[in-house]
Amino acid sequence: MPKPFKKVKLRHAENVKRRNAERKNPNYPRISFKSLFYVTRIYRKAVGARTIFFIVYRIYNSILPSITAVLAGAAVTAIAEAIGTRDLGPFIVLTAFLLGVQLMDIILGTINGFLSLRTYQDVYIYVSEMVTSKYIQIPLRVRESREFADKFNRVKDFASSIPSVSFSVVNVVSALISLISVVIATLTISPIVTIVVILSSVPSSIISLRLSAKRRRNWREYTRDRRIAWNIQNKILNSNNALEIELNGLGNYLIKRMIKADRHSQEQDIIDERRYLWPHFGSNILETIASFGVLIFVSIEIIHEKLAIGQFFTVRTLLNQLNSNISSLFSNIATVSENLVNATDFMEFMETPAKQSGEIKITQTPTIEFRGVSFSYPHSDVKALDNISFTLAPGDSVAIVGENGAGKTTLIKLLIGAYEPTEGVILVNGEPLSKINRDSYLSQLGALFQDYSRYEFATLGENVWFGDTNKAYNRKAIEAALAQADLSNLASTYEKGLNQILSKDFDENSTTDLSGGQWQRLAVARALFRSPNILLLDEPTSAIDAKSEYQIFKNIIEAQKGKSTVIISHRFSTVRKASQIIVLKEGRIIESGTHDELIMKRRGIYKTLFEMQAEGYN
Ligand code: ADP
């Protein structure tokens, strides 16, 4: 029948073509031995000397079933022989051996149980430190890319699964040792038995490997869907969003979206699993038939006195052992390989170049000059900044004004060195920023952004002290910073004063949370506690009432005397005091000068905006 045969051949050719195309895809999940060694090394470093105990225990535990099967089989034969000879000596010796072997297993097993929990924690903590320490060294521009976000998601998956991955690696090795010992034990009884059993397990092993390869590919392909599901879940569970979600009645809809993304990410796994249902069933039947065949063969050998009676028992036990070893070997290989795919991402992540730092150290307030600086965000053709030039000398205060999206925050990000200009150069004391020692430069800077941090888990005092943890925790200095930010009364409202944990989520005795404006003032206090030589303020008082803002700015100006300040603000009462005002539009400087100079311009943007706001206040 040539036709169906041709069809099968065609389908096979198509499959090969598809698989080859898949492999050429740079996203194809590859497992390398390098990543296996990498995981083993992490495990060894985290676990230290205990590794030796685990190796000894695992080897012992792996060969134990074969030893027990052989000894127990011999014991059965010894009983059978004792029926004629009435000599129980050999049986007693064998039983004593068996007991000793089991006792040893119990002792080692108990120690193992105790050490395992500790080991699990050690590996987890070691890896989580590795990931977070590396993450903060990676430049912002790299962290912000979508590819990095996808990759970092898999890195996090890997980091949280690494304790179980390392255990699976150990399981693979012990299943292998166990398998070899069982094969040796069966070979001593009958090579035919060994060959039949191994051959019968080939189909199910191939199916396991295929399915796990598919699962690896799916895991990678649907990273984006998993990220969406997590993002939605975080939104729902984050108390900051609670009010908005409730008010908009968005909860149920978001849950539906989350489930849809979750289902979509897992659907292909189910489809693949279903495709292999019948082959799976068939391969299991084949294994069972082979096992029964082997037992019948052994029985016949015993009847013909070619094998001892106890060996029936040994073969039966070894058969069970062999089957469970093979399936545990492949299921562990599957687990390991599914997780090791992310190990490649993990290795790449750990090798991401850290932020660059130059040699020249900055020891006092530097002069910063933007010279013809342009900048586009990665993957964007639009210039967020276009040919910007200005100088910030010690003692200067520069205010940046402009509509939303004009490039104000971007300018600050470049000044900090989070991004590098795409054209032009930023000079610090006349030297390009890339030649300046990063830490010494950052120690001159202090910043307060629109999306400032709230350290909910920490105390009131710590929330201020986090501005500069290199300084001692000085209550006086902390209280002074709080006063400058118009928060002098806050500590006295708490029984624990500065030691009060700020969010009720983390303190069972607390019943109140801070308001948005209070959190922002706390961020101002943090920036002032740092007392930097250059203070960068990006709309620092958006959630603060006008009266408090006026007071806070008076305090900031006082504190920054002789030092530099860059401020972004929409409030002209604040902006007008700056020694230089820069008006940005679509990334370009369209006006600059002092308040008085700009207000003189006849058709100036600054003048128009100023008059509009002044009118609004009347
Ligand atoms: P402003 O602070 O003046 O409101 P930004 O400096 O935040 O404006 O943004 C300037 C431009 O750059 C805007 O068009 C904005 O969409 C874009 N932009 C801001 N941040 C990013 C980013 N991380 N990636 C890509 N584009 C960005």
Side-chain angles (χ1 to χ4, degrees):
M1 295 220 290
K3 247 189 174 170
F5 180 67
K6 207 172 163 190
K7 227 177 176 176
V8 169
K9 221 173 150 185
L10 261 177
R11 206 179 319 139
H12 178 70
E14 267 171 25
N15 278 341
V16 170
K17 221 164 111 187
R18 186 174 45 79
R19 239 175 282 145
N20 284 342
E22 265 176 14
R23 288 199 179 119
K24 275 188 197 132
N25 179 349
N27 258 348
Y28 185 80
R30 266 164 257 275
I31 316 161
S32 63
F33 276 101
K34 199 174 147 205
S35 54
L36 189 63
F37 285 126
Y38 197 78
V39 172
T40 320
R41 212 175 61 217
I42 291 176
Y43 180 83
R44 214 186 53 225
K45 277 197 184 153
V47 179
R50 264 170 286 157
T51 315
I52 296 168
F53 170 81
F54 287 122
I55 292 174
V56 171
Y57 172 67
R58 282 301 183 141
I59 293 177
Y60 183 78
N61 192 256
S62 310
I63 57 175
L64 185 72
S66 317
I67 297 175
T68 315
V70 172
L71 284 179
V76 171
T77 308
I79 294 174
E81 279 166 5
I83 295 170
T85 60
R86 303 267 155 196
D87 177 13
L88 272 178
F91 172 73
I92 291 168
V93 172
L94 283 165
T95 315
F97 252 120
L98 261 174
L99 189 66
V101 167
Q102 294 291 349
L103 271 181
M104 189 65 180
D105 187 50
I106 291 171
I107 294 168
L108 291 178
T110 311
I111 301 173
N112 176 63
F114 173 72
L115 290 182
S116 289
L117 179 64
R118 185 62 205 280
T119 303
Y120 201 89
Q121 291 171 351
D122 283 354
V123 176
Y124 184 81
I125 292 169
Y126 183 83
V127 175
S128 106
E129 190 193 340
M130 261 174 103
V131 172
T132 42
S133 312
K134 181 71 201 181
Y135 184 80
I136 57 173
Q137 285 172 13
I138 295 175
L140 254 181
R141 89 189 121 74
V142 178
R143 281 195 238 162
E144 275 197 7
S145 78
R146 205 169 38 237
E147 291 78 15
F148 182 85
D150 276 350
K151 181 191 276 186
F152 189 62
N153 219 290
R154 293 191 291 265
V155 168
K156 280 195 289 187
D157 284 347
F158 179 72
S160 59
S161 69
I162 198 166
S164 46
V165 180
S166 42
F167 276 87
S168 303
V169 173
V170 176
N171 284 342
V172 169
V173 177
S174 41
L176 209 64
I177 296 173
S178 192
L179 188 64
I180 292 170
S181 72
V182 174
V183 167
I184 292 173
T186 41
L187 274 176
T188 58
I189 296 169
S190 162
I192 298 175
V193 168
T194 321
I195 291 166
V196 169
V197 174
I198 288 182
L199 283 183
S200 71
S201 67
V202 168
S204 69
S205 310
I206 291 176
I207 291 171
S208 294
L209 284 182
R210 278 264 169 93
L211 262 177
S212 105
K214 284 195 185 300
R215 226 170 275 150
R216 286 199 306 270
R217 193 199 53 203
N218 296 342
W219 181 255
R220 178 167 281 249
E221 217 160 281
Y222 294 97
T223 306
R224 188 72 43 87
D225 288 290
R226 284 199 312 278
R227 263 181 58 208
I228 291 173
W230 281 334
N231 187 284
I232 299 177
Q233 192 182 46
N234 287 340
K235 291 270 174 295
I236 298 172
L237 300 183
N238 187 337
S239 58
N240 288 343
N241 305 324
L243 273 183
E244 183 177 324
I245 290 177
E246 190 165 329
L247 200 70
N248 293 349
L250 201 58
N252 284 334
Y253 171 75
L254 285 183
I255 291 171
K256 272 192 204 131
R257 278 285 288 268
M258 177 186 78
I259 292 174
K260 195 175 160 204
D262 257 338
R263 281 249 178 274
H264 191 236
S265 74
Q266 288 164 9
E267 216 160 62
Q268 193 58 40
D269 277 351
I270 305 277
I271 294 172
D272 292 336
E273 195 82 35
R274 198 179 298 142
R275 199 173 288 154
Y276 278 91
L277 210 57
W278 283 110
H280 229 149
F281 181 70
S283 64
N284 285 343
I285 297 272
L286 179 74
E287 266 176 28
T288 313
I289 291 172
S291 299
F292 272 85
V294 162
L295 286 181
I296 291 167
F297 169 77
V298 170
S299 308
I300 293 167
E301 293 283 274
I302 292 171
I303 292 166
H304 288 116
E305 293 186 353
K306 285 192 187 146
L307 290 174
I309 180 129
Q311 279 169 328
F312 182 87
F313 178 82
T314 308
V315 170
R316 215 193 86 85
T317 317
L318 288 178
L319 269 182
N320 284 344
Q321 197 56 41
L322 202 65
N323 280 335
S324 81
N325 273 161
I326 290 176
S327 69
S328 120
L329 179 69
F330 283 100
S331 77
N332 277 304
I333 287 181
T335 315
V336 170
S337 57
E338 275 160 37
N339 285 297
L340 278 188
V341 173
N342 294 339
T344 316
D345 284 310
F346 188 81
M347 284 193 300
E348 279 173 19
F349 166 76
M350 290 307 292
E351 282 162 14
T352 317
K355 291 169 197 153
Q356 297 292 318
S357 176
E359 299 284 318
I360 305 168
K361 289 209 166 154
I362 304 289
T363 51
Q364 46 187 305
T365 319
T367 298
I368 301 172
E369 183 190 349
F370 273 53
R371 195 179 284 174
V373 169
S374 297
F375 175 76
S376 306
Y377 279 98
H379 308 293
S380 163
D381 300 329
V382 182
K383 281 187 176 174
L385 291 179
D386 190 357
N387 197 19
I388 301 287
S389 298
F390 73 95
T391 303
L392 179 75
D396 277 359
S397 55
V398 172
I400 304 170
V401 183
E403 294 165 356
N404 283 337
K408 304 180 296 291
T409 305
T410 308
L411 191 146
I412 299 227
K413 285 185 191 167
L414 261 74
L415 198 152
I416 290 173
Y419 292 93
E420 286 137 37
T422 23
E423 282 168 55
V425 65
I426 299 172
L427 299 167
V428 178
N429 290 342
E431 298 286 350
L433 188 52
S434 56
K435 286 195 178 164
I436 305 292
N437 176 280
R438 222 185 125 65
D439 288 342
S440 73
Y441 180 62
L442 290 183
S443 72
Q444 301 295 320
L445 302 174
L448 180 51
F449 294 104
Q450 294 167 44
D451 42 1
Y452 53 88
S453 297
R454 301 173 176 201
Y455 300 102
E456 287 101 341
F457 65 90
T459 64
L460 170 59
E462 283 172 329
N463 261 277
V464 179
W465 179 60
F466 285 174
D468 192 352
T469 49
N470 288 321
K471 281 190 197 156
Y473 182 91
N474 180 334
R475 299 181 73 90
K476 282 241 154 62
I478 289 170
E479 277 159 7
L482 282 169
Q484 284 175 328
D486 205 13
L487 276 180
S488 36
N489 295 332
L490 188 59
S492 59
T493 60
Y494 298 123
E495 205 176 297
K496 291 187 191 157
L498 289 181
N499 294 333
Q500 175 64 43
I501 290 179
L502 284 184
S503 170
K504 60 176 189 282
D505 289 352
F506 296 97
D507 186 305
E508 59 272 22
N509 298 322
S510 170
T511 50
T512 51
D513 267 346
L514 296 185
S515 72
Q518 281 174 316
W519 276 115
Q520 197 170 35
R521 276 188 254 177
L522 202 52
V524 173
R526 186 158 55 241
L528 290 174
F529 175 77
R530 187 175 171 82
S531 174
N533 286 337
I534 301 176
L535 182 62
L536 311 167
L537 301 165
D538 186 351
E539 293 187 39
T541 48
S542 54
I544 299 174
D545 55 278
K547 198 171 135 251
S548 291
E549 184 196 275
Y550 181 75
Q551 190 54 42
I552 290 172
F553 268 104
K554 257 178 74 179
N555 296 340
I556 289 178
I557 289 164
E558 189 62 33
Q560 282 303 106
K561 251 189 195 145
K563 300 173 178 179
S564 318
T565 313
V566 177
I567 175 155
I568 297 174
S569 178
H570 289 295
R571 292 190 178 154
F572 283 78
S573 53
T574 308
V575 169
R576 63 186 300 169
K577 297 198 184 80
S579 57
Q580 189 188 358
I581 298 164
I582 293 174
V583 184
L584 279 184
K585 188 173 182 178
E586 291 167 5
R588 253 169 281 137
I589 298 183
I590 50 167
E591 279 173 28
S592 73
T594 63
H595 174 77
D596 292 338
E597 284 164 12
L598 291 176
I599 217 80
M600 300 292 284
K601 284 201 172 184
R602 284 189 54 219
R603 255 185 251 129
I605 296 269
Y606 181 84
K607 186 180 156 137
T608 319
L609 289 173
F610 179 76
E611 281 167 358
M612 264 164 62
Q613 202 168 81
E615 242 169 62
Y617 277 127
N618 285 335

